[in-house]
Amino acid sequence: MLIKGARRIEKNRFFPFYSSNGKRGKYIAIIGLGSNIEDEKKRFLALFRILMQDRRLQILQTSPFLINKAFGFENQKDFTNAVMIVSTSLHARALLKVLFFYEFKFKRKRTFKNAPRTLDLDLLYFSKKARKDEYCTVPHIGVNDRISVTLPLGLLR
């Protein structure tokens, strides 16, 4: 079956991943991962290992990788996307700050809208909660319209 914009699904050691341990945090969050600057898969693996050591989060599950066509600014390399479900006791804005920190650590540069990126971490959903202010919007804007989110979510256990 062909899905517009989707190129292929790929798997590796931690994508997909499923933890049989129960959640420890108060909240469940779904995080979108994206990258299209080499080597995306190595970067996602490095992020996975770092997050496994971060006591503020517990990774519960990850999807396989979706390689898909760039959108917005289309004159760039295909994107690698995945989703990750985490348990946390952080509130949505605090979790978003942690995600921005990891983008910075992986040298994310925000040169223009939809520009190529080393790592893009989006807070897609947060424990059935809705929030909208100048810093944090949950659910993430356009989340239900993006193949880079809906297809990986559909591949979770």
Side-chain angles (χ1 to χ4, degrees), residues 6-24:
R7 306 279 196 223
R8 66 189 175 281
I9 301 292
E10 294 182 8
K11 298 178 179 182
N12 73 14
R13 186 169 180 198
F14 297 117
F15 291 87
F17 168 84
Y18 178 79
S19 172
S20 57
N21 298 337
K23 74 174 191 130
R24 289 183 292 209

Side-chain angles (χ1 to χ4, degrees), residues 81-95:
N81 292 100
V83 294
M84 177 181 286
I85 300 177
V86 300
S87 174
T88 185
S89 290
L90 298 173
H91 291 278
R93 273 180 90 179
L95 177 57

Side-chain angles (χ1 to χ4, degrees), residues 19-137:
S19 172
S20 57
N21 298 337
K23 74 174 191 130
R24 289 183 292 209
K26 186 176 178 181
Y27 306 108
I28 298 291
I30 301 177
I31 299 167
L33 290 74
S35 178
N36 73 334
I37 296 176
E38 295 286 339
D39 183 331
E40 303 92 347
K41 293 170 198 92
K42 273 188 178 177
R43 190 171 297 110
F44 284 1
L45 289 173
L47 175 69
F48 181 92
R49 288 185 177 104
I50 289 170
L51 291 180
M52 288 295 278
Q53 302 303 313
D54 190 325
R55 292 182 172 200
R56 298 170 292 188
L57 308 169
Q58 178 190 10
I59 299 174
L60 301 176
Q61 197 171 163
T62 65
S63 72
F65 299 126
L66 168 66
I67 312 305
N68 60 286
K69 182 180 171 192
F71 62 92
F73 174 63
E74 294 182 8
N75 189 19
Q76 61 181 317
K77 184 176 176 261
D78 287 346
F79 272 86
T80 300
N81 292 100
V83 294
M84 177 181 286
I85 300 177
V86 300
S87 174
T88 185
S89 290
L90 298 173
H91 291 278
R93 273 180 90 179
L95 177 57
L96 196 56
K97 283 183 182 182
V98 170
L99 299 180
F100 286 152
F101 167 76
Y102 284 118
E103 285 184 347
F104 175 78
K105 186 172 181 148
F106 282 88
K107 300 180 178 20
R108 164 89 188 258
K109 303 253 190 298
R110 296 178 185 270
T111 53
F112 59 91
K113 185 176 170 102
N114 298 319
R117 58 205 71 166
T118 56
L119 184 63
D120 183 26
L121 299 172
D122 293 327
L123 181 55
L124 303 174
Y125 296 101
F126 191 81
S127 278
K128 299 181 185 176
K129 296 185 183 287
R131 178 187 185 104
K132 184 169 179 142
D133 62 36
E134 66 180 296
Y135 301 106
C136 182
T137 301

